[in-house]
Every structure is written in C-alpha cells, then in structure tokens.
Amino acid sequence: PNEKMKQVLKKTIEEAKAIISKKQVEAGVCVTMEMVKDALDQLRGAVMIVYPMGLPPYDPIRMEFENKEDLSGTQAGLNIIKEAEAQLWWAAKELRRTKKLSDYVGKNEKTKIIAKIQQRLEENDDDAYLNSPWAD
C-alpha cells in the first residue's frame, strides 16, 4: 500500500491495541468480548479500505478474520489450549466450572485475583505424579 494507506493501517492498529490493552484493566475498565469484536471490526474495515479488492484466500490476515487460520506446526499453535482441556487455578486450587467464583474468593466485589490457565493433565499423568517421589 502507499504511504497514506500505511498510515490508515498503523492508526487503526494502534486504536485496536488501545481497546484491548492491559492499561484498560489498570484503569478499572472491564475488557469485554464486545470490545474485542469491535477492535477486530475496526481492523477488518481498515483492511477493506486499504485492499478494496480483498486479500487472497491464503493470506494470514484474511484467514484470521475468517477464523480459519491453521496454527498447527507453529510456535503459536503450542500456546492454544482448547476449552475442554483447560484448567483455571488460583491460590493453589483448581477453580471448578460447576462452582461460582464467589465460592472461592468471597462476595466482596472489589476483590482482585490473578488466575492461571493451564492444560488439564491426563489421568495417566496424575497417576504418574502421585506415584512419583515428588508427591506428598
């Protein structure tokens, strides 16, 4: 793209990054899926302005917009945890999907927690750990 179109893309990228930035959380703004979708829509619109004929079907940006990007065999693909295989941990406890968050942290609305998401261990992995010398 020419210089003017590059500026359109750069400006839109900066605006989208600002919408989903960690600074939003620090400012007390809850980042919602609606905000993420709006940021993606802004990016999609900027790409349509810069490339009015559209991107080729194999382009990674187009594939991401259409949610068809294949990350298998890439480093980024290793960081994806499927929802069914995910566990959420806080204070050395697994947060179960069947319980409410208030069951773990109480009912104070101002409580702030930092949780960790990780891939669920296979049952065989649990047994291997329990039978290992590191188990308590």
Side-chain angles (χ1 to χ4, degrees):
N2 63 33
E3 200 58 41
K4 185 178 177 185
M5 293 294 120
K6 286 181 187 177
Q7 291 304 319
V8 168
L9 282 176
K10 286 181 181 180
K11 180 181 176 210
T12 307
I13 289 168
E14 290 304 316
E15 289 172 359
K17 282 183 177 180
I19 291 173
I20 60 171
S21 171
K22 288 182 182 180
K23 292 179 182 175
Q24 293 280 49
V25 175
E26 292 169 1
V29 176
C30 181
V31 178
T32 63
M33 280 304 293
E34 190 65 33
M35 293 169 72
V36 174
K37 288 178 183 177
D38 288 344
L40 277 172
D41 288 342
Q42 287 180 5
L43 292 169
R44 193 175 286 116
V47 168
M48 283 198 275
I49 290 170
V50 175
Y51 299 101
M53 298 300 287
L55 294 169
Y58 56 83
D59 189 279
I61 295 171
R62 178 176 175 176
M63 292 170 72
E64 182 65 36
F65 285 155
E66 295 173 352
N67 204 19
K68 295 179 183 176
E69 186 174 18
D70 181 20
L71 296 176
S72 60
T74 66
Q75 185 66 31
L78 298 175
N79 295 331
I80 297 174
I81 301 173
K82 295 180 180 137
E83 185 178 350
E85 299 173 359
Q87 288 179 318
L88 196 60
W89 288 82
W90 173 74
K93 295 178 188 166
E94 180 183 1
L95 305 181
R96 302 279 178 182
R97 293 173 193 256
T98 56
K99 288 187 165 186
K100 294 181 179 180
L101 191 56
S102 62
D103 294 340
Y104 295 100
V105 297
K107 301 208 184 266
N108 185 349
E109 294 178 6
K110 295 186 179 193
T111 300
K112 181 178 179 179
I113 69 167
I114 298 175
K116 177 184 177 186
I117 189 167
Q118 74 174 28
Q119 192 158 0
R120 181 177 300 281
L121 296 174
E122 298 292 328
E123 283 186 35
N124 295 341
D125 292 345
D126 288 338
D127 294 338
Y129 176 76
L130 292 175
N131 296 326
S132 75
W134 299 285
D136 292 327

